[in-house]
Amino acid sequence: MRVLIDNEVSKEQWESFYLSNFFSSPFQSHSFYSLFNSIEGLSANVFACEENNEIEALCVVTLQKEEGVKGYFSRRGIIYGGPLFHSKVTENQITELLKYINGYYKKKLIYIEVRNNFDYSAFNETFLNSGWSYIPYLNFQIKCDNREKVIEKFNRRRRREIKIAQEAGTTICEAKTIEELRDLYNIIADLYKNKIKKPIFPLVFFEHFFTTNLCKVILVKAEDTVIGGVICIKDENKGVYGWYGAGLDKEYKKNSPVVMGIYGAIMYAFDNNYLFYDFMGAGKPEEKYGVRKFKEEFGGDLVEYGRYLKIVNKLLYKLGKLYITFKSTK
């Protein structure tokens, strides 16, 4: 048994393992790994535990940090979706993979976080024994099995908003040009900067992303003007993930661009025979989170797949949390 990294991992074996894996999400694909490494300032590593020339476990770690001085205190590894495990993976194989990852980033990152999109509870003890913590975290997923029943489960107010928006001439379509993507990105970036106050990938990332088969951008328009939408990431007919979204609700109240963007993304999943639509997070159970209530009104299944956290540098992690607390109170 050995752990391989980056170019040591066979692309052909990786793709085969990914396509047949229960835990597969687009974030663990070779395409996403390549995308992340194509953007200046971003990078990713892939690790694979191999035994008898077969991959038993695989994990893509994206490396991220803020700009300027904050970069030193925000060095982190994000494992979107969760690692890929063979159906017969052993505890020892997972342990070896996590041990290698822990050691590799010992002096490079402050923390590593796994953002699970599936149920990894069967492997919980292995993560804990390898020095990771489990953080409860909620999400909503919609099974794309019966369109009428899904729409019936929408909150009455949401159904009414959709009807009014449609009567107002609001249209939903897929982005065809980079210019349309940029229009939506500007709306999303403004939301993140002025309200959410969290970092977002630069425009160039989404411009590259737009050219891949992983990307689908759902737009909401009033006449010919982009007023909102959702940037989705998808895989091979398995799931559609609503990654980033926003809308000009104040300026276009009757058009309900935020609601219509999500509605359009869900309908895209149905129209193209995907198994589910994933809302990409609904916060920690113990914390009040207005976005959770909003997402709940689309009638999806509430799940708690949680996150795993590995603190690599405890001192810098504490300093980073103090800095965030300080900034939020200003």
Side-chain angles (χ1 to χ4, degrees), residues 185-201:
Y185 176 83
N186 289 334
I187 295 172
I188 296 173
D190 181 72
L191 173 70
Y192 271 73
K193 179 181 179 181
N194 297 308
K195 188 173 181 180
I196 298 179
K197 299 187 183 302
K198 288 185 178 181
I200 185 174
F201 297 124

Side-chain angles (χ1 to χ4, degrees), residues 43-70:
S43 62
N45 298 115
V46 62
F47 303 88
C49 181
E50 181 186 79
E51 190 158 3
N52 298 323
N53 294 318
E54 291 188 0
I55 295 176
E56 303 295 337
L58 182 143
C59 185
V60 174
V61 183
T62 63
L63 308 182
Q64 304 176 34
K65 63 180 181 179
E66 313 312 323
E67 295 181 350
V69 177
K70 290 189 294 184

Side-chain angles (χ1 to χ4, degrees), residues 201-325:
F201 297 124
L203 174 60
V204 65
F205 174 87
F206 292 99
E207 291 176 336
H208 283 236
F209 178 47
F210 186 66
T211 65
T212 72
N213 61 1
L214 298 173
C215 180
K216 184 58 62 178
V217 178
I218 305 299
L219 299 176
V220 179
K221 291 185 177 182
E223 296 182 351
D224 291 326
T225 302
V226 174
I227 61 172
V230 181
I231 298 176
C232 301
I233 183 168
K234 58 188 179 65
D235 51 18
E236 295 293 329
N237 296 324
K238 184 177 181 181
V240 176
Y241 300 78
W243 202 4
Y244 289 94
L248 302 176
D249 276 6
K250 289 184 179 180
E251 297 87 339
Y252 295 88
K253 189 173 182 180
K254 287 186 177 181
N255 304 93
S256 299
V258 174
V259 170
M260 292 298 284
I262 295 175
Y263 173 69
I266 295 170
M267 291 304 103
Y268 169 82
F270 269 105
D271 292 340
N272 292 274
N273 301 313
Y274 283 90
L275 299 179
F276 60 84
Y277 178 81
D278 191 293
F279 279 89
M280 292 288 291
K284 296 179 180 179
E286 72 278 8
E287 293 181 355
K288 292 184 178 180
Y289 188 50
V291 176
R292 182 190 308 145
K293 178 63 177 176
F294 175 76
K295 292 180 177 180
E296 180 183 16
E297 292 175 346
F298 289 90
D301 297 322
L302 180 65
V303 296
E304 192 222 291
Y305 296 148
R307 296 179 172 183
Y308 290 109
L309 176 67
K310 172 65 178 178
I311 300 175
V312 180
N313 189 313
K314 294 182 179 180
L315 176 60
L316 290 181
Y317 184 78
K318 289 180 179 179
L319 289 174
K321 292 191 71 173
L322 287 172
Y323 174 79
I324 293 173
T325 303

